[in-house]
Amino acid sequence: MSARPKINKLVDSLPLYVLYKPSGVLKDSLETRNLALEEMEALKLKEVEDLDQSEAAKKMGVSRSTFQRLIKSARKKLVSAILEGKAIKFKGGNYIANENIVKSKCSKGGSYHFLIKRGEVEGQEYKISGIKCPKCGKRLIDFY
């Protein structure tokens, strides 16, 4: 049995800096915790934009349970890094950056649909979510 494929998440903003560390400590002497960019996006949507999990999950193009796993993982990494005095590095993950996404309102009202330039995500259909729009039945995320 093969592992379940990783679904790319929609990331609306990328952090300005890739590393945060405790003040007064040399970077080379610190252990680092990696925070994936989709985990950072989940934190931003939940804690900064104050969206509920369902709204935030839709915005990222994932299920609510996937969003919940992202937020739990991000919080754990962030809090442990702060308490243990480790650097936090924003690195990697399975995501599609905003500049590769075209957002449009559903023709039947309600939610947004997201279109990704073909080739921007290695052209692999399985790497994007299969969640369908409740109003029109089309995929919420697709290629153009």
Side-chain angles (χ1 to χ4, degrees):
M1 180 179 237
S2 63
R4 192 171 167 205
K6 302 278 184 193
I7 297 292
N8 285 325
K9 289 86 176 166
L10 303 178
V11 172
D12 202 28
S13 58
L14 301 175
L16 295 175
Y17 302 98
V18 294
L19 182 78
Y20 283 88
K21 68 174 194 65
S23 178
V25 182
L26 294 174
K27 180 179 79 166
D28 296 335
S29 64
L30 284 172
E31 279 186 53
T32 303
R33 287 265 189 258
N34 288 331
L35 196 64
L37 293 172
E38 66 263 20
E39 291 172 325
M40 191 64 217
E41 180 75 3
L43 281 173
K44 182 194 80 155
L45 294 173
K46 181 70 180 141
E47 306 303 339
V48 177
E49 294 185 17
D50 202 27
L51 298 178
D52 68 34
Q53 287 190 3
S54 295
E55 290 174 291
K58 263 187 207 169
K59 229 176 160 178
M60 289 184 73
V62 296
S63 67
R64 195 200 52 76
S65 59
T66 296
F67 181 82
Q68 187 173 15
R69 282 191 296 276
L70 284 170
I71 206 84
K72 182 178 180 182
S73 171
R75 285 175 176 157
K76 185 175 183 175
K77 289 177 183 180
L78 196 56
V79 170
S80 73
I82 291 169
L83 293 176
E84 297 167 11
K86 296 181 179 176
I88 302 164
K89 188 170 192 171
F90 305 113
K91 177 181 177 182
N94 299 295
Y95 69 95
I96 304 163
N98 187 27
E99 65 265 11
N100 298 323
I101 303 166
V102 175
K103 179 174 146 181
S104 63
K105 199 90 158 127
C106 176
S107 61
K108 304 221 177 191
S111 61
Y112 284 96
H113 290 239
F114 303 94
L115 296 173
I116 303 160
K117 293 178 194 169
R118 195 164 288 283
E120 294 296 330
V121 190
E122 304 164 27
Q124 297 173 343
E125 189 81 10
Y126 72 87
K127 293 200 77 152
I128 61 170
S129 172
I131 296 174
K132 299 203 186 256
C133 175
K135 299 282 184 181
C136 69
K138 293 182 181 174
R139 287 175 70 144
L140 284 179
I141 305 171
D142 217 339
F143 293 107
Y144 73 93

PDB file of all heavy atoms in Angstrom, residues 57-88:
ATOM      1  N   ALA A  57     -10.045  26.753   6.088  1.00  0.00           N
ATOM      2  CA  ALA A  57      -9.782  25.565   5.278  1.00  0.00           C
ATOM      3  C   ALA A  57     -10.172  25.805   3.821  1.00  0.00           C
ATOM      4  O   ALA A  57      -9.437  25.453   2.898  1.00  0.00           O
ATOM      5  CB  ALA A  57     -10.537  24.365   5.847  1.00  0.00           C
ATOM      6  N   LYS A  58     -11.341  26.443   3.610  1.00  0.00           N
ATOM      7  CA  LYS A  58     -11.785  26.767   2.247  1.00  0.00           C
ATOM      8  C   LYS A  58     -10.783  27.669   1.557  1.00  0.00           C
ATOM      9  O   LYS A  58     -10.465  27.489   0.391  1.00  0.00           O
ATOM     10  CB  LYS A  58     -13.144  27.472   2.283  1.00  0.00           C
ATOM     11  CG  LYS A  58     -14.309  26.576   2.053  1.00  0.00           C
ATOM     12  CD  LYS A  58     -15.575  27.404   1.940  1.00  0.00           C
ATOM     13  CE  LYS A  58     -16.754  26.561   2.367  1.00  0.00           C
ATOM     14  NZ  LYS A  58     -17.962  27.334   2.533  1.00  0.00           N
ATOM     15  N   LYS A  59     -10.289  28.657   2.285  1.00  0.00           N
ATOM     16  CA  LYS A  59      -9.329  29.606   1.727  1.00  0.00           C
ATOM     17  C   LYS A  59      -8.038  28.920   1.307  1.00  0.00           C
ATOM     18  O   LYS A  59      -7.388  29.344   0.359  1.00  0.00           O
ATOM     19  CB  LYS A  59      -9.023  30.686   2.756  1.00  0.00           C
ATOM     20  CG  LYS A  59      -9.138  32.064   2.189  1.00  0.00           C
ATOM     21  CD  LYS A  59      -8.931  33.124   3.213  1.00  0.00           C
ATOM     22  CE  LYS A  59      -8.573  34.383   2.467  1.00  0.00           C
ATOM     23  NZ  LYS A  59      -8.370  35.517   3.255  1.00  0.00           N
ATOM     24  N   MET A  60      -7.673  27.849   2.009  1.00  0.00           N
ATOM     25  CA  MET A  60      -6.445  27.114   1.676  1.00  0.00           C
ATOM     26  C   MET A  60      -6.712  25.961   0.706  1.00  0.00           C
ATOM     27  O   MET A  60      -5.775  25.320   0.244  1.00  0.00           O
ATOM     28  CB  MET A  60      -5.783  26.585   2.948  1.00  0.00           C
ATOM     29  CG  MET A  60      -5.158  27.664   3.787  1.00  0.00           C
ATOM     30  SD  MET A  60      -4.267  27.015   5.223  1.00  0.00           S
ATOM     31  CE  MET A  60      -2.819  26.329   4.429  1.00  0.00           C
ATOM     32  N   GLY A  61      -7.994  25.680   0.433  1.00  0.00           N
ATOM     33  CA  GLY A  61      -8.331  24.605  -0.499  1.00  0.00           C
ATOM     34  C   GLY A  61      -8.172  23.218   0.076  1.00  0.00           C
ATOM     35  O   GLY A  61      -7.859  22.275  -0.636  1.00  0.00           O
ATOM     36  N   VAL A  62      -8.381  23.094   1.396  1.00  0.00           N
ATOM     37  CA  VAL A  62      -8.244  21.799   2.060  1.00  0.00           C
ATOM     38  C   VAL A  62      -9.484  21.521   2.909  1.00  0.00           C
ATOM     39  O   VAL A  62     -10.316  22.402   3.115  1.00  0.00           O
ATOM     40  CB  VAL A  62      -6.975  21.745   2.955  1.00  0.00           C
ATOM     41  CG1 VAL A  62      -5.717  21.879   2.129  1.00  0.00           C
ATOM     42  CG2 VAL A  62      -7.019  22.790   4.054  1.00  0.00           C
ATOM     43  N   SER A  63      -9.566  20.309   3.422  1.00  0.00           N
ATOM     44  CA  SER A  63     -10.680  19.968   4.312  1.00  0.00           C
ATOM     45  C   SER A  63     -10.448  20.607   5.687  1.00  0.00           C
ATOM     46  O   SER A  63      -9.326  20.986   6.031  1.00  0.00           O
ATOM     47  CB  SER A  63     -10.790  18.453   4.455  1.00  0.00           C
ATOM     48  OG  SER A  63      -9.663  17.950   5.148  1.00  0.00           O
ATOM     49  N   ARG A  64     -11.501  20.674   6.480  1.00  0.00           N
ATOM     50  CA  ARG A  64     -11.384  21.246   7.816  1.00  0.00           C
ATOM     51  C   ARG A  64     -10.452  20.406   8.685  1.00  0.00           C
ATOM     52  O   ARG A  64      -9.659  20.925   9.467  1.00  0.00           O
ATOM     53  CB  ARG A  64     -12.758  21.377   8.479  1.00  0.00           C
ATOM     54  CG  ARG A  64     -12.723  22.291   9.711  1.00  0.00           C
ATOM     55  CD  ARG A  64     -13.878  22.071  10.651  1.00  0.00           C
ATOM     56  NE  ARG A  64     -14.075  20.689  11.035  1.00  0.00           N
ATOM     57  CZ  ARG A  64     -13.323  20.027  11.928  1.00  0.00           C
ATOM     58  NH1 ARG A  64     -12.309  20.590  12.495  1.00  0.00           N
ATOM     59  NH2 ARG A  64     -13.591  18.773  12.225  1.00  0.00           N
ATOM     60  N   SER A  65     -10.503  19.082   8.533  1.00  0.00           N
ATOM     61  CA  SER A  65      -9.630  18.223   9.348  1.00  0.00           C
ATOM     62  C   SER A  65      -8.158  18.403   8.965  1.00  0.00           C
ATOM     63  O   SER A  65      -7.288  18.373   9.833  1.00  0.00           O
ATOM     64  CB  SER A  65     -10.052  16.758   9.245  1.00  0.00           C
ATOM     65  OG  SER A  65     -10.010  16.318   7.915  1.00  0.00           O
ATOM     66  N   THR A  66      -7.867  18.618   7.684  1.00  0.00           N
ATOM     67  CA  THR A  66      -6.489  18.894   7.268  1.00  0.00           C
ATOM     68  C   THR A  66      -6.036  20.220   7.855  1.00  0.00           C
ATOM     69  O   THR A  66      -4.915  20.342   8.359  1.00  0.00           O
ATOM     70  CB  THR A  66      -6.363  18.919   5.730  1.00  0.00           C
ATOM     71  OG1 THR A  66      -6.679  17.618   5.230  1.00  0.00           O
ATOM     72  CG2 THR A  66      -4.968  19.324   5.287  1.00  0.00           C
ATOM     73  N   PHE A  67      -6.903  21.225   7.817  1.00  0.00           N
ATOM     74  CA  PHE A  67      -6.565  22.519   8.399  1.00  0.00           C
ATOM     75  C   PHE A  67      -6.282  22.367   9.894  1.00  0.00           C
ATOM     76  O   PHE A  67      -5.318  22.921  10.415  1.00  0.00           O
ATOM     77  CB  PHE A  67      -7.695  23.540   8.184  1.00  0.00           C
ATOM     78  CG  PHE A  67      -7.358  24.881   8.757  1.00  0.00           C
ATOM     79  CD1 PHE A  67      -6.576  25.770   8.037  1.00  0.00           C
ATOM     80  CD2 PHE A  67      -7.780  25.238  10.027  1.00  0.00           C
ATOM     81  CE1 PHE A  67      -6.226  27.003   8.583  1.00  0.00           C
ATOM     82  CE2 PHE A  67      -7.434  26.458  10.571  1.00  0.00           C
ATOM     83  CZ  PHE A  67      -6.660  27.344   9.850  1.00  0.00           C
ATOM     84  N   GLN A  68      -7.097  21.585  10.568  1.00  0.00           N
ATOM     85  CA  GLN A  68      -6.911  21.372  12.008  1.00  0.00           C
ATOM     86  C   GLN A  68      -5.556  20.723  12.288  1.00  0.00           C
ATOM     87  O   GLN A  68      -4.864  21.108  13.228  1.00  0.00           O
ATOM     88  CB  GLN A  68      -8.045  20.509  12.555  1.00  0.00           C
ATOM     89  CG  GLN A  68      -8.037  20.376  14.055  1.00  0.00           C
ATOM     90  CD  GLN A  68      -9.268  19.658  14.568  1.00  0.00           C
ATOM     91  OE1 GLN A  68      -9.988  19.015  13.812  1.00  0.00           O
ATOM     92  NE2 GLN A  68      -9.512  19.760  15.847  1.00  0.00           N
ATOM     93  N   ARG A  69      -5.155  19.755  11.467  1.00  0.00           N
ATOM     94  CA  ARG A  69      -3.842  19.121  11.635  1.00  0.00           C
ATOM     95  C   ARG A  69      -2.718  20.129  11.413  1.00  0.00           C
ATOM     96  O   ARG A  69      -1.719  20.138  12.132  1.00  0.00           O
ATOM     97  CB  ARG A  69      -3.684  17.932  10.684  1.00  0.00           C
ATOM     98  CG  ARG A  69      -4.402  16.685  11.160  1.00  0.00           C
ATOM     99  CD  ARG A  69      -4.017  15.453  10.346  1.00  0.00           C
ATOM    100  NE  ARG A  69      -4.406  15.532   8.945  1.00  0.00           N
ATOM    101  CZ  ARG A  69      -5.597  15.228   8.471  1.00  0.00           C
ATOM    102  NH1 ARG A  69      -6.548  14.817   9.290  1.00  0.00           N
ATOM    103  NH2 ARG A  69      -5.860  15.319   7.178  1.00  0.00           N
ATOM    104  N   LEU A  70      -2.869  20.996  10.403  1.00  0.00           N
ATOM    105  CA  LEU A  70      -1.854  22.020  10.124  1.00  0.00           C
ATOM    106  C   LEU A  70      -1.697  22.979  11.306  1.00  0.00           C
ATOM    107  O   LEU A  70      -0.577  23.297  11.713  1.00  0.00           O
ATOM    108  CB  LEU A  70      -2.237  22.837   8.882  1.00  0.00           C
ATOM    109  CG  LEU A  70      -2.034  22.188   7.532  1.00  0.00           C
ATOM    110  CD1 LEU A  70      -2.682  23.033   6.437  1.00  0.00           C
ATOM    111  CD2 LEU A  70      -0.559  21.998   7.250  1.00  0.00           C
ATOM    112  N   ILE A  71      -2.808  23.447  11.828  1.00  0.00           N
ATOM    113  CA  ILE A  71      -2.766  24.424  12.918  1.00  0.00           C
ATOM    114  C   ILE A  71      -2.177  23.795  14.180  1.00  0.00           C
ATOM    115  O   ILE A  71      -1.378  24.411  14.882  1.00  0.00           O
ATOM    116  CB  ILE A  71      -4.160  25.067  13.156  1.00  0.00           C
ATOM    117  CG1 ILE A  71      -4.030  26.451  13.788  1.00  0.00           C
ATOM    118  CG2 ILE A  71      -5.036  24.279  14.046  1.00  0.00           C
ATOM    119  CD1 ILE A  71      -3.789  27.534  12.842  1.00  0.00           C
ATOM    120  N   LYS A  72      -2.532  22.547  14.453  1.00  0.00           N
ATOM    121  CA  LYS A  72      -2.007  21.856  15.636  1.00  0.00           C
ATOM    122  C   LYS A  72      -0.495  21.670  15.527  1.00  0.00           C
ATOM    123  O   LYS A  72       0.248  21.941  16.470  1.00  0.00           O
ATOM    124  CB  LYS A  72      -2.707  20.501  15.798  1.00  0.00           C
ATOM    125  CG  LYS A  72      -2.267  19.741  17.019  1.00  0.00           C
ATOM    126  CD  LYS A  72      -3.007  18.436  17.155  1.00  0.00           C
ATOM    127  CE  LYS A  72      -2.537  17.693  18.395  1.00  0.00           C
ATOM    128  NZ  LYS A  72      -3.198  16.407  18.538  1.00  0.00           N
ATOM    129  N   SER A  73      -0.041  21.238  14.370  1.00  0.00           N
ATOM    130  CA  SER A  73       1.388  21.038  14.138  1.00  0.00           C
ATOM    131  C   SER A  73       2.158  22.356  14.242  1.00  0.00           C
ATOM    132  O   SER A  73       3.216  22.430  14.868  1.00  0.00           O
ATOM    133  CB  SER A  73       1.587  20.412  12.755  1.00  0.00           C
ATOM    134  OG  SER A  73       2.944  20.387  12.408  1.00  0.00           O
ATOM    135  N   ALA A  74       1.614  23.413  13.641  1.00  0.00           N
ATOM    136  CA  ALA A  74       2.269  24.724  13.658  1.00  0.00           C
ATOM    137  C   ALA A  74       2.376  25.263  15.080  1.00  0.00           C
ATOM    138  O   ALA A  74       3.437  25.756  15.487  1.00  0.00           O
ATOM    139  CB  ALA A  74       1.496  25.701  12.776  1.00  0.00           C
ATOM    140  N   ARG A  75       1.303  25.174  15.838  1.00  0.00           N
ATOM    141  CA  ARG A  75       1.324  25.678  17.216  1.00  0.00           C
ATOM    142  C   ARG A  75       2.343  24.929  18.060  1.00  0.00           C
ATOM    143  O   ARG A  75       3.082  25.529  18.843  1.00  0.00           O
ATOM    144  CB  ARG A  75      -0.069  25.568  17.843  1.00  0.00           C
ATOM    145  CG  ARG A  75      -1.039  26.600  17.348  1.00  0.00           C
ATOM    146  CD  ARG A  75      -2.422  26.370  17.919  1.00  0.00           C
ATOM    147  NE  ARG A  75      -3.346  27.411  17.515  1.00  0.00           N
ATOM    148  CZ  ARG A  75      -4.648  27.271  17.490  1.00  0.00           C
ATOM    149  NH1 ARG A  75      -5.213  26.125  17.871  1.00  0.00           N
ATOM    150  NH2 ARG A  75      -5.431  28.271  17.110  1.00  0.00           N
ATOM    151  N   LYS A  76       2.380  23.615  17.909  1.00  0.00           N
ATOM    152  CA  LYS A  76       3.311  22.798  18.689  1.00  0.00           C
ATOM    153  C   LYS A  76       4.759  23.184  18.374  1.00  0.00           C
ATOM    154  O   LYS A  76       5.569  23.367  19.282  1.00  0.00           O
ATOM    155  CB  LYS A  76       3.065  21.319  18.395  1.00  0.00           C
ATOM    156  CG  LYS A  76       3.900  20.392  19.232  1.00  0.00           C
ATOM    157  CD  LYS A  76       3.542  18.950  18.995  1.00  0.00           C
ATOM    158  CE  LYS A  76       4.350  18.057  19.918  1.00  0.00           C
ATOM    159  NZ  LYS A  76       3.961  16.662  19.818  1.00  0.00           N
ATOM    160  N   LYS A  77       5.079  23.315  17.087  1.00  0.00           N
ATOM    161  CA  LYS A  77       6.440  23.684  16.694  1.00  0.00           C
ATOM    162  C   LYS A  77       6.804  25.075  17.201  1.00  0.00           C
ATOM    163  O   LYS A  77       7.905  25.289  17.703  1.00  0.00           O
ATOM    164  CB  LYS A  77       6.582  23.651  15.163  1.00  0.00           C
ATOM    165  CG  LYS A  77       6.563  22.274  14.575  1.00  0.00           C
ATOM    166  CD  LYS A  77       6.629  22.378  13.057  1.00  0.00           C
ATOM    167  CE  LYS A  77       6.537  21.025  12.386  1.00  0.00           C
ATOM    168  NZ  LYS A  77       6.597  21.160  10.916  1.00  0.00           N
ATOM    169  N   LEU A  78       5.885  26.001  17.048  1.00  0.00           N
ATOM    170  CA  LEU A  78       6.129  27.389  17.441  1.00  0.00           C
ATOM    171  C   LEU A  78       6.345  27.514  18.951  1.00  0.00           C
ATOM    172  O   LEU A  78       7.326  28.111  19.400  1.00  0.00           O
ATOM    173  CB  LEU A  78       4.949  28.253  16.993  1.00  0.00           C
ATOM    174  CG  LEU A  78       5.128  29.742  16.943  1.00  0.00           C
ATOM    175  CD1 LEU A  78       6.292  30.138  16.061  1.00  0.00           C
ATOM    176  CD2 LEU A  78       3.851  30.387  16.423  1.00  0.00           C
ATOM    177  N   VAL A  79       5.454  26.946  19.723  1.00  0.00           N
ATOM    178  CA  VAL A  79       5.554  27.047  21.178  1.00  0.00           C
ATOM    179  C   VAL A  79       6.797  26.326  21.687  1.00  0.00           C
ATOM    180  O   VAL A  79       7.527  26.853  22.528  1.00  0.00           O
ATOM    181  CB  VAL A  79       4.266  26.515  21.862  1.00  0.00           C
ATOM    182  CG1 VAL A  79       4.455  26.384  23.361  1.00  0.00           C
ATOM    183  CG2 VAL A  79       3.101  27.432  21.545  1.00  0.00           C
ATOM    184  N   SER A  80       7.090  25.134  21.170  1.00  0.00           N
ATOM    185  CA  SER A  80       8.279  24.418  21.644  1.00  0.00           C
ATOM    186  C   SER A  80       9.554  25.177  21.274  1.00  0.00           C
ATOM    187  O   SER A  80      10.494  25.231  22.065  1.00  0.00           O
ATOM    188  CB  SER A  80       8.315  22.982  21.131  1.00  0.00           C
ATOM    189  OG  SER A  80       8.631  22.923  19.771  1.00  0.00           O
ATOM    190  N   ALA A  81       9.607  25.796  20.108  1.00  0.00           N
ATOM    191  CA  ALA A  81      10.785  26.580  19.723  1.00  0.00           C
ATOM    192  C   ALA A  81      10.981  27.766  20.664  1.00  0.00           C
ATOM    193  O   ALA A  81      12.101  28.062  21.083  1.00  0.00           O
ATOM    194  CB  ALA A  81      10.659  27.059  18.280  1.00  0.00           C
ATOM    195  N   ILE A  82       9.888  28.440  21.011  1.00  0.00           N
ATOM    196  CA  ILE A  82       9.985  29.593  21.915  1.00  0.00           C
ATOM    197  C   ILE A  82      10.428  29.146  23.304  1.00  0.00           C
ATOM    198  O   ILE A  82      11.349  29.718  23.893  1.00  0.00           O
ATOM    199  CB  ILE A  82       8.643  30.357  21.968  1.00  0.00           C
ATOM    200  CG1 ILE A  82       8.394  31.043  20.621  1.00  0.00           C
ATOM    201  CG2 ILE A  82       8.640  31.370  23.102  1.00  0.00           C
ATOM    202  CD1 ILE A  82       6.997  31.599  20.452  1.00  0.00           C
ATOM    203  N   LEU A  83       9.801  28.109  23.832  1.00  0.00           N
ATOM    204  CA  LEU A  83      10.128  27.647  25.179  1.00  0.00           C
ATOM    205  C   LEU A  83      11.532  27.061  25.288  1.00  0.00           C
ATOM    206  O   LEU A  83      12.188  27.180  26.313  1.00  0.00           O
ATOM    207  CB  LEU A  83       9.100  26.616  25.649  1.00  0.00           C
ATOM    208  CG  LEU A  83       7.691  27.148  25.883  1.00  0.00           C
ATOM    209  CD1 LEU A  83       6.749  26.006  26.243  1.00  0.00           C
ATOM    210  CD2 LEU A  83       7.685  28.218  26.962  1.00  0.00           C
ATOM    211  N   GLU A  84      12.005  26.413  24.221  1.00  0.00           N
ATOM    212  CA  GLU A  84      13.317  25.767  24.234  1.00  0.00           C
ATOM    213  C   GLU A  84      14.415  26.663  23.667  1.00  0.00           C
ATOM    214  O   GLU A  84      15.569  26.243  23.557  1.00  0.00           O
ATOM    215  CB  GLU A  84      13.248  24.452  23.452  1.00  0.00           C
ATOM    216  CG  GLU A  84      12.293  23.443  24.074  1.00  0.00           C
ATOM    217  CD  GLU A  84      11.971  22.277  23.157  1.00  0.00           C
ATOM    218  OE1 GLU A  84      12.633  22.127  22.105  1.00  0.00           O
ATOM    219  OE2 GLU A  84      11.033  21.529  23.483  1.00  0.00           O
ATOM    220  N   GLY A  85      14.085  27.892  23.288  1.00  0.00           N
ATOM    221  CA  GLY A  85      15.077  28.832  22.780  1.00  0.00           C
ATOM    222  C   GLY A  85      15.687  28.414  21.455  1.00  0.00           C
ATOM    223  O   GLY A  85      16.886  28.542  21.238  1.00  0.00           O
ATOM    224  N   LYS A  86      14.849  27.919  20.537  1.00  0.00           N
ATOM    225  CA  LYS A  86      15.330  27.485  19.229  1.00  0.00           C
ATOM    226  C   LYS A  86      14.925  28.493  18.160  1.00  0.00           C
ATOM    227  O   LYS A  86      13.970  29.243  18.335  1.00  0.00           O
ATOM    228  CB  LYS A  86      14.757  26.108  18.885  1.00  0.00           C
ATOM    229  CG  LYS A  86      15.236  25.053  19.849  1.00  0.00           C
ATOM    230  CD  LYS A  86      14.710  23.700  19.524  1.00  0.00           C
ATOM    231  CE  LYS A  86      15.284  22.710  20.555  1.00  0.00           C
ATOM    232  NZ  LYS A  86      14.776  21.394  20.379  1.00  0.00           N
ATOM    233  N   ALA A  87      15.665  28.494  17.071  1.00  0.00           N
ATOM    234  CA  ALA A  87      15.323  29.358  15.945  1.00  0.00           C
ATOM    235  C   ALA A  87      14.139  28.746  15.199  1.00  0.00           C
ATOM    236  O   ALA A  87      13.939  27.533  15.216  1.00  0.00           O
ATOM    237  CB  ALA A  87      16.521  29.500  15.015  1.00  0.00           C
ATOM    238  N   ILE A  88      13.361  29.588  14.544  1.00  0.00           N
ATOM    239  CA  ILE A  88      12.223  29.131  13.735  1.00  0.00           C
ATOM    240  C   ILE A  88      12.521  29.507  12.288  1.00  0.00           C
ATOM    241  O   ILE A  88      12.752  30.668  11.981  1.00  0.00           O
ATOM    242  CB  ILE A  88      10.914  29.799  14.184  1.00  0.00           C
ATOM    243  CG1 ILE A  88      10.646  29.499  15.663  1.00  0.00           C
ATOM    244  CG2 ILE A  88       9.750  29.346  13.308  1.00  0.00           C
ATOM    245  CD1 ILE A  88       9.613  30.404  16.290  1.00  0.00           C
TER     246      ILE A  88
END
